[in-house]
Amino acid sequence: MLAIAGCGDDRVQPDHMSLPGEVFQVNPDPDPEVMSWAGCLDAVTQCLEGGGTVRTCTTEASCRPQCVAALERALEGASGREAELDAFESVFVVPDAVCRPVERAAP
């Protein structure tokens, strides 16, 4: 499946042909671990943007229980939003983070 996305000048173009575009290939069979991880990151991000804290936004309803437990351990002694965000990144985002899915080679 292919998706075409246009970007550029936000004014309406008479021929719509002057917008630059990107072609993305969509994987029809995505890795379930990657999808779960992405869903967790999305849910936490939306909650944080709504004013929540890392501690209250990272729940077992949106993230895997073992990841929530790993974050709780990483949050020990963390004080303040920046420290909480650093702990979250260390568990979910940085390369080799315990809850970041392992990248597999494309078939």
Side-chain angles (χ1 to χ4, degrees), residues 2-24:
L2 292 179
I4 300 175
C7 60
D9 192 329
D10 61 359
R11 291 175 291 173
V12 175
Q13 303 296 321
D15 61 4
H16 299 288
M17 297 305 290
S18 57
L19 291 176
E22 291 289 328
V23 176
F24 300 96

Side-chain angles (χ1 to χ4, degrees), residues 16-103:
H16 299 288
M17 297 305 290
S18 57
L19 291 176
E22 291 289 328
V23 176
F24 300 96
Q25 187 168 3
V26 178
N27 183 348
D29 188 26
D31 183 334
E33 282 192 39
V34 172
M35 297 305 294
S36 173
W37 175 72
C40 169
L41 295 182
D42 185 53
V44 172
T45 299
Q46 287 184 31
C47 180
L48 290 171
E49 289 173 350
T53 67
V54 170
R55 294 175 194 272
T56 60
C57 292
T58 309
T59 65
E60 290 185 14
S62 56
C63 302
R64 295 184 308 174
Q66 62 269 33
C67 293
V68 174
L71 179 62
E72 287 174 9
R73 290 188 297 276
L75 285 169
E76 288 178 14
S79 178
R81 189 170 181 92
E82 288 302 314
E84 286 187 357
L85 290 171
D86 288 345
F88 183 86
E89 287 183 10
S90 74
V91 172
F92 287 92
V93 180
V94 298
D96 298 324
V98 67
C99 290
R100 182 177 174 155
V102 176
E103 294 182 38

